[in-house]
Amino acid sequence: GENVEQHPSTLSVQEGDSAVIKCTYSDSASNYFPWYKQELGKGPQLIIDIRSNVGEKKDQRIAVTLNKTAKHFSLHITETQPEDSAVYFCAARATGFQKLVFGTGTRLLVSP
Amino acid sequence: SQTIHQWPATLVQPVGSPLSLECTVEGTSNPNLYWYRQAAGRGLQLLFYSVGIGQISSEVPQNLSASRPQDRQFILSSKKLLLSDSGFYLCAWSVLLSEAFFGQGTRLTVV
C-alpha cells in the first residue's frame, strides 16, 4: 500500500521568510496530492492540491510542486506570517482508491 | 453547500465505559466517510472508511468499531474504552476524485 513520508517534523522561520515542506510517496499509481493545514484543536483544512497531470500549482503565497519521477512533492509558503503557524499535512491517493494516506505532519512556527 | 457535523467536541470517559461518536454530513449524497484518530503530536491514522450504507472497512485492529446506518451518518463506537483510546478523533467525507473534508474533531480523554 501507499506510504507517505513528510519532512521536517518541525520548522521554525522568521516572519517574511519562506518555508518548504517535503513529502515522498511510494505508490507510483498515486495521482492526487492535497495539503492540509490544521490549527490547534481544529480539523484539518485543505489549502492546496495538485494532480499528477501538472508539475506546479500556485495560489497566492502558497505553491505546490510535484516530481512524479522522483515521487516527491513539496509545499512552498512565501512571505510567511504568524498566522501561518499550524501543523501541515501532505497526503496522497491513487485512482480507484477511496482513502487518502497522510504524512506525519509538520509543525510550522512563524516568529514575528 | 456541504457541511459536516461531529459531536461531542470533547469527552472524558472512564476506562471500561462505552463510546459513541456521531458524524453527519449535509448537502451531498453517497459520500465516502472516514474516521481518523490523531494521537497528541502525531499524524492522522485512518481507522475506518465506508463507501456506502452498511459497508465498513477497518484499517487497523483495535478496540473500536464503526457503523453507517444511514447514507450520511457515520458512528464510531466502543464497548469498553481503554486508556490507549484517548486521542483526537476526526470524521471526514469525500466524493470520488475530490479532497476530503474534515469535521472539527472530538477530543476523547479516557481516565
Side-chain angles (χ1 to χ4, degrees):
Chain A
E2 177 64 276
N3 182 52
V4 178
E5 295 188 357
Q6 184 172 347
H7 301 281
S9 57
T10 58
L11 179 60
S12 295
V13 300
Q14 293 290 318
E15 182 177 2
D17 288 349
S18 294
V20 181
I21 302 170
K22 299 181 179 181
C23 289
T24 60
Y25 61 98
S26 61
D27 188 350
S28 56
S30 288
N31 58 3
Y32 175 64
F33 308 93
W35 285 89
Y36 287 82
K37 176 183 180 182
Q38 185 180 28
E39 297 179 343
L40 192 63
K42 297 184 178 181
Q45 298 284 312
L46 179 77
I47 56 172
I48 195 167
D49 57 11
I50 191 168
R51 299 187 187 273
S52 59
N53 57 344
V54 297
E56 184 175 0
K57 184 176 179 181
K58 192 172 182 180
D59 182 5
Q60 300 182 344
R61 296 185 297 109
I62 295 174
V64 57
T65 59
L66 172 64
N67 183 327
K68 289 172 56 180
T69 302
K71 289 191 282 189
H72 66 71
F73 55 113
S74 300
L75 177 71
H76 304 254
I77 306 175
T78 59
E79 301 173 23
T80 53
Q81 302 167 2
E83 52 264 40
D84 294 328
S85 296
V87 178
Y88 291 81
F89 291 98
C90 63
R93 181 170 66 197
T95 298
F97 284 84
Q98 306 293 345
K99 56 185 181 180
L100 282 170
V101 178
F102 284 85
T104 50
T106 296
R107 183 173 299 280
L108 174 64
L109 177 62
V110 181
S111 302
Chain B
S1 63
Q2 302 92 349
T3 56
I4 179 168
H5 301 281
Q6 188 180 341
W7 67 93
T10 59
L11 189 61
V12 180
Q13 291 283 100
V15 169
S17 65
L19 172 74
S20 180
L21 301 181
E22 188 164 343
C23 171
T24 60
V25 180
E26 296 178 357
T28 187
S29 296
N30 196 31
N32 297 327
L33 296 172
Y34 310 85
W35 279 110
Y36 287 87
R37 177 169 60 199
Q38 186 175 27
R42 303 282 299 274
L44 297 164
Q45 180 187 34
L46 180 63
L47 302 176
F48 302 95
Y49 70 96
S50 171
V51 300
I53 296 174
Q55 301 179 60
I56 308 296
S57 296
S58 175
E59 288 296 296
V60 293
Q62 59 208 316
N63 185 42
L64 303 168
S65 62
S67 62
R68 184 171 178 173
Q70 300 180 45
D71 181 46
R72 289 170 288 180
Q73 183 185 29
F74 206 23
I75 298 172
L76 183 69
S77 304
S78 174
K79 293 182 179 178
K80 289 185 178 181
L81 284 169
L82 306 173
L83 288 174
S84 57
D85 291 324
S86 295
F88 191 50
Y89 288 83
L90 289 156
C91 180
W93 71 272
S94 73
V95 293
L96 194 61
L97 301 183
S98 83
E99 66 270 30
F101 298 91
F102 285 86
Q104 290 301 297
T106 295
R107 182 159 304 281
L108 171 66
T109 303
V110 183
V111 297

